[in-house]
Amino acid sequence: MSNRKRKDPPAYATITDVARMAGVSTATVSRTLNSPEQVQAETTGKVMKAVKKLGYVPQSAARNLASRKTNTVGLLLPSIGEDFFGQMLRGVEAEVAQAGYDLLVATKPESQVRVRSTQPLGRHNTDGILIFTGNIFEAEILPMYGEGFPMVLLYQSPPKGLKIPYVTVENKDGSRALVDHLIEEHGYRKIAFLRGPEGNEDSHWRERGFRESMERHGQRVDESLIEPGLFNEEAARQAVTRMLAAGKDFRAIFAGSDENAIGALTALAEAHIAVPEQVAVVGFDDLNLARFTTPPLTTVRAPTEKVGREAVATLFKLIRGEVTEEKVLLQTEVIIRQSCGCIRKEA
Amino acid sequence: MSNRKRKDPPAYATITDVARMAGVSTATVSRTLNSPEQVQAETTGKVMKAVKKLGYVPQSAARNLASRKTNTVGLLLPSIGEDFFGQMLRGVEAEVAQAGYDLLVATKPESQVRVRSTQPLGRHNTDGILIFTGNIFEAEILPMYGEGFPMVLLYQSPPKGLKIPYVTVENKDGSRALVDHLIEEHGYRKIAFLRGPEGNEDSHWRERGFRESMERHGQRVDESLIEPGLFNEEAARQAVTRMLAAGKDFRAIFAGSDENAIGALTALAEAHIAVPEQVAVVGFDDLNLARFTTPPLTTVRAPTEKVGREAVATLFKLIRGEVTEEKVLLQTEVIIRQSCGCIRKEA
DNA sequence: CTGAAAGCGCTTACAG
DNA sequence: CTGAAAGCGCTTACAG
């Protein structure tokens, strides 16, 4: 017969088992594992032997509950997977693991329909979160923000009034350098620009870079040469087809993104317009496939993995209560291939 | 003055706060949240009102500790990020979230040097894990296997003797169908094959498919036309360059993977050999960039996202103690583009 | 349908 | 340097 409260022994060793085998208290086992400098060498030896022998691994739940921290970082992703996603995750994971933390990954529920009790990531299961997702609405983060819960934004600035650190890439400088190249090296003047989705920050700054370069070179930008590409291949294809049908005159297209550039390339090919001989095309992002387009795409490379690393580093500062930069801006680099008209090949 | 054990109240509401506000016991709050059917409608109402008002979210650590389960699934990744990684993660995340579980992601520590106390993922922080990583060594999973800890392998079969379910794609059938196409539609006979890394299972089965197709068509396979491509662009380039230099005679290359195919394409371009007119090239995987190679790559598409979903579904069966298939094999599909010699374009 | 209370497996002031 | 014991915030038999 069994006592009411005596459950079957767990399938795993607990701290009590280790303490018993080593002949010490559980407090000492805990200290041996967490702050060995507080424990005598001889004791450490006994404890570690027992740990090894029993294959003891501390239960995260118990540890978290007692220490009031989760040792876990959350990463909130957009529902749709970006193409450079793997690289970013690599940076995040590496940095998180190095700090001995765990990484919890979740996707932002698409709609309010999915009545999951609450946010998938928050104070209840993480010590802080990284938010990498298109449109953050204030309502979604305000409660956490109000509590001072540590969070860092990726590729986007916080809603007005909220002081949340964010890390992103230098869209404007990269774009300006790219357009500078088009103007200075190739002498193009009539340059079209394909915008990203309404309200997209990357797009905003890329357009700014485009305009700055034009202005600095004394070029008036022709507003009729600015069309929405939406960072979407098909939409970009249609936009370029439309401009062509309307008889618009342009010598180059700064597509705003590689995705847009692919759509532009398709539209141009369908219209039998030679790239770069008749119209040059350049993108932004340097997706893996940028080397393989016809012709290979001149574009701007962003340090995606580093964005991940920096974001985690910033989050840890927040978690430790240190001050952080409001904004970390990572430099980009123009990658010259052939779609701009250059003949030199990639290094 | 403060009592020794009275800490500062937590920054968040606990179940006790909810119980107090609703005028019920914590047990009732717990039941309302976890098995509402056991609670009277009126009580549920009071509790939920308090939950809402306080913004109460149960602490995962406390819940996990008390319930002896983590409600979390682990995903173990190879240190190097695959190109199709995002898709797989999407499948995994969707399925995990739908079940109301959390997803913990970790990378296999590259070396034994990094003395992290233990495995990043295990019984201490998950209810089961998905292993998606190149070379699983028996030693790494044997302890968990011995305890009957739920795990599922992705893209690889378990070490001999271990009964661990796995899900992967039909490499052999896909490869055979692809080579059938080369032989039946284009009449190629002399076909080279580029192997993956030694011991790689995908490569093994792709080679089997290749050989079966050749045999069924009465073709003897020329062993001197089989070279290591290592699923690595550069190695594949060198392999093809080597075959060319040795004066080997072949009309087509089944590159074994898209990565290999890209290397083959490069080698051929460098040797001024026209693809597909002089030598056809086909791959396997259908990476995003396969549409953009010159010429666009004929290849085999694997249902990557579905692999993720199926793996999670299988893992949940294991967690629930149900029987599972030993092996889930997902069908692949030949994608005809132009590198094989076809002129029809992709749908 | 609901409550009192034990227990989950740790950590950590406090005391020595 | 070490131990006794309270406490972390939940869940869940048991009893009613």
Side-chain angles (χ1 to χ4, degrees):
Chain A
M1 72 195 183
S2 62
N3 182 303
R4 171 187 166 199
K5 291 296 176 180
R6 276 238 142 267
K7 307 283 171 55
D8 306 310
Y12 48 88
T14 70
I15 199 171
T16 308
D17 301 319
V18 176
R20 188 177 305 136
M21 177 177 286
V24 299
S25 71
T26 59
T28 295
V29 174
S30 178
R31 287 193 196 98
T32 303
L33 264 21
N34 298 315
S35 28
E37 71 283 0
Q38 293 181 31
V39 180
Q40 218 170 223
E42 189 193 353
T43 310
T44 300
K46 288 190 298 185
V47 171
M48 291 315 288
K49 219 183 71 183
V51 165
K52 215 122 289 174
K53 197 154 179 181
L54 293 168
Y56 171 68
V57 180
Q59 286 293 113
S60 297
R63 197 202 276 257
N64 295 348
L65 182 57
S67 66
R68 292 150 156 289
K69 55 197 296 292
T70 65
N71 252 285
T72 301
V73 161
L75 174 63
L76 189 62
L77 301 173
S79 33
I80 33 77
E82 314 285 329
D83 211 11
F84 56 86
F85 175 71
Q87 275 187 61
M88 219 218 39
L89 187 99
R90 204 170 317 146
V92 169
E93 201 282 331
E95 202 75 10
V96 167
Q98 191 179 313
Y101 272 60
D102 283 338
L103 209 217
L104 216 44
V105 174
T107 280
K108 182 174 115 161
E110 317 81 82
S111 67
Q112 310 300 52
V113 180
R114 228 249 229 76
V115 192
R116 187 169 176 166
S117 46
T118 51
Q119 304 291 339
L121 260 23
R123 167 157 278 149
H124 63 290
N125 57 3
T126 61
D127 292 339
I129 63 178
L130 260 25
I131 303 180
F132 171 43
T133 185
N135 294 316
I136 279 304
F137 298 110
E138 213 170 313
E140 303 177 89
I141 52 172
L142 214 48
M144 295 193 273
Y145 180 77
E147 294 180 358
F149 186 64
M151 42 192 172
V152 172
L153 266 26
L154 271 65
Y155 294 105
Q156 64 190 317
S157 58
K160 280 110 269 295
L162 306 193
K163 287 222 173 265
I164 307 175
Y166 68 105
V167 5
T168 188
V169 298
E170 235 311 353
N171 285 301
K172 197 182 71 170
D173 289 355
S175 296
R176 197 178 55 211
L178 181 65
V179 178
D180 284 352
H181 173 84
L182 259 24
I183 298 174
E184 297 170 9
E185 300 297 318
H186 299 285
Y188 306 142
R189 309 274 128 158
K190 298 181 177 170
I191 305 179
F193 177 72
L194 263 28
R195 280 199 175 103
E198 187 64 34
N200 181 286
E201 282 182 40
D202 291 325
S203 176
H204 172 81
W205 291 107
R206 290 172 194 178
E207 182 170 345
R208 284 279 284 263
F210 165 71
R211 289 178 185 276
E212 277 192 17
S213 175
M214 295 290 272
E215 281 165 22
R216 290 191 186 194
H217 291 87
Q219 298 300 313
R220 167 181 306 268
V221 351
D222 179 350
E223 301 297 333
S224 80
L225 254 31
I226 298 190
E227 285 274 334
L230 309 181
F231 291 172
N232 169 274
E233 186 180 336
E234 179 56 19
R237 200 196 108 251
Q238 291 177 17
V240 173
T241 299
R242 220 181 300 128
M243 298 206 295
L244 257 17
K248 301 221 178 123
D249 180 31
F250 48 90
R251 179 62 185 83
I253 301 174
F254 171 27
S257 80
D258 286 358
E259 197 87 18
N260 279 357
I262 288 165
L265 252 17
T266 304
L268 262 7
E270 287 169 351
H272 302 290
I273 294 177
V275 178
E277 293 77 6
Q278 295 177 268
V279 173
V281 174
V282 297
F284 198 113
D285 288 333
D286 196 29
L287 300 183
N288 281 340
L289 52 79
R291 301 156 51 204
F292 300 107
T293 56
T294 305
L297 196 65
T298 288
T299 186
V300 178
R301 180 182 297 164
T304 313
E305 184 169 341
K306 192 164 186 203
V307 169
R309 288 188 169 276
E310 289 291 332
V312 174
T314 303
L315 185 61
F316 280 135
K317 281 188 195 166
L318 246 31
I319 290 176
R320 288 190 300 259
E322 301 170 10
V323 294
T324 69
E325 307 283 331
E326 274 184 45
K327 159 181 189 173
V328 178
L329 222 44
L330 267 21
Q331 294 311 307
T332 53
E333 175 192 8
V334 173
I335 303 291
I336 302 292
R337 287 196 270 253
Q338 286 120 66
S339 66
C340 59
C342 281
I343 48 170
R344 44 173 157 148
K345 311 198 64 163
E346 185 184 10
Chain B
M1 72 193 186
S2 63
N3 183 301
R4 170 189 169 200
K5 292 296 180 182
R6 276 239 144 265
K7 307 283 173 52
D8 306 310
Y12 48 88
T14 69
I15 198 170
T16 307
D17 301 320
V18 176
R20 189 176 306 134
M21 176 176 287
V24 300
S25 69
T26 59
T28 295
V29 175
S30 177
R31 285 191 199 101
T32 303
L33 264 22
N34 299 315
S35 28
E37 71 283 1
Q38 295 181 30
V39 179
Q40 221 171 217
E42 188 193 354
T43 310
T44 300
K46 290 189 298 185
V47 172
M48 291 315 289
K49 219 183 71 182
V51 164
K52 215 123 288 172
K53 197 155 182 180
L54 293 168
Y56 171 67
V57 180
Q59 286 292 111
S60 297
R63 196 202 277 258
N64 295 347
L65 182 58
S67 66
R68 294 151 156 288
K69 55 198 297 290
T70 65
N71 252 286
T72 300
V73 162
L75 174 62
L76 188 62
L77 301 174
S79 31
I80 33 79
E82 314 285 330
D83 210 12
F84 55 86
F85 175 71
Q87 275 188 60
M88 218 216 43
L89 187 99
R90 202 170 319 145
V92 169
E93 201 281 332
E95 202 75 11
V96 167
Q98 191 179 314
Y101 273 60
D102 283 338
L103 209 216
L104 215 45
V105 174
T107 279
K108 182 173 117 163
E110 317 80 83
S111 67
Q112 311 300 52
V113 180
R114 231 251 231 74
V115 191
R116 186 169 177 168
S117 48
T118 51
Q119 304 290 340
L121 260 23
R123 168 157 279 148
H124 62 291
N125 56 3
T126 61
D127 292 340
I129 63 177
L130 261 24
I131 303 179
F132 171 42
T133 184
N135 293 316
I136 277 305
F137 298 111
E138 213 171 313
E140 304 179 88
I141 51 172
L142 214 47
M144 294 194 274
Y145 180 76
E147 294 179 355
F149 185 65
M151 42 192 171
V152 171
L153 266 27
L154 271 65
Y155 294 105
Q156 63 191 317
S157 58
K160 279 112 266 298
L162 307 193
K163 287 222 172 265
I164 306 175
Y166 68 105
V167 5
T168 188
V169 298
E170 235 310 354
N171 284 300
K172 197 181 74 171
D173 290 356
S175 297
R176 196 177 55 209
L178 182 64
V179 178
D180 284 352
H181 174 83
L182 259 25
I183 298 174
E184 296 170 9
E185 300 297 318
H186 298 286
Y188 306 142
R189 310 275 127 157
K190 296 179 176 171
I191 305 178
F193 176 73
L194 262 28
R195 281 199 176 103
E198 187 64 34
N200 180 288
E201 282 181 41
D202 290 326
S203 176
H204 172 80
W205 291 106
R206 290 171 194 178
E207 182 171 343
R208 284 279 285 262
F210 166 70
R211 288 177 185 276
E212 276 191 18
S213 175
M214 293 292 269
E215 280 165 23
R216 291 190 185 195
H217 291 87
Q219 298 300 313
R220 167 179 308 266
V221 349
D222 179 350
E223 301 297 331
S224 80
L225 254 32
I226 298 189
E227 285 273 334
L230 308 181
F231 290 173
N232 168 273
E233 187 179 337
E234 180 54 21
R237 200 196 109 250
Q238 291 177 16
V240 172
T241 300
R242 218 180 302 127
M243 298 206 296
L244 256 17
K248 299 216 179 130
D249 180 30
F250 48 90
R251 181 60 185 82
I253 301 175
F254 171 29
S257 80
D258 286 358
E259 196 88 19
N260 280 357
I262 288 165
L265 251 17
T266 305
L268 262 7
E270 288 170 351
H272 302 290
I273 294 176
V275 178
E277 293 77 5
Q278 294 176 270
V279 172
V281 173
V282 297
F284 198 113
D285 288 333
D286 196 29
L287 301 182
N288 281 340
L289 53 79
R291 300 157 51 205
F292 300 106
T293 56
T294 306
L297 197 63
T298 288
T299 186
V300 178
R301 179 182 297 163
T304 311
E305 183 169 342
K306 192 164 185 201
V307 169
R309 289 187 169 274
E310 289 290 332
V312 175
T314 303
L315 185 61
F316 280 135
K317 281 189 195 167
L318 246 32
I319 290 175
R320 288 190 301 260
E322 300 171 8
V323 293
T324 69
E325 307 283 331
E326 274 183 44
K327 159 182 191 173
V328 177
L329 222 44
L330 267 19
Q331 293 311 305
T332 53
E333 175 192 8
V334 173
I335 303 292
I336 302 294
R337 285 194 273 252
Q338 287 122 64
S339 66
C340 59
C342 281
I343 48 170
R344 43 172 158 148
K345 311 196 67 162
E346 186 183 8

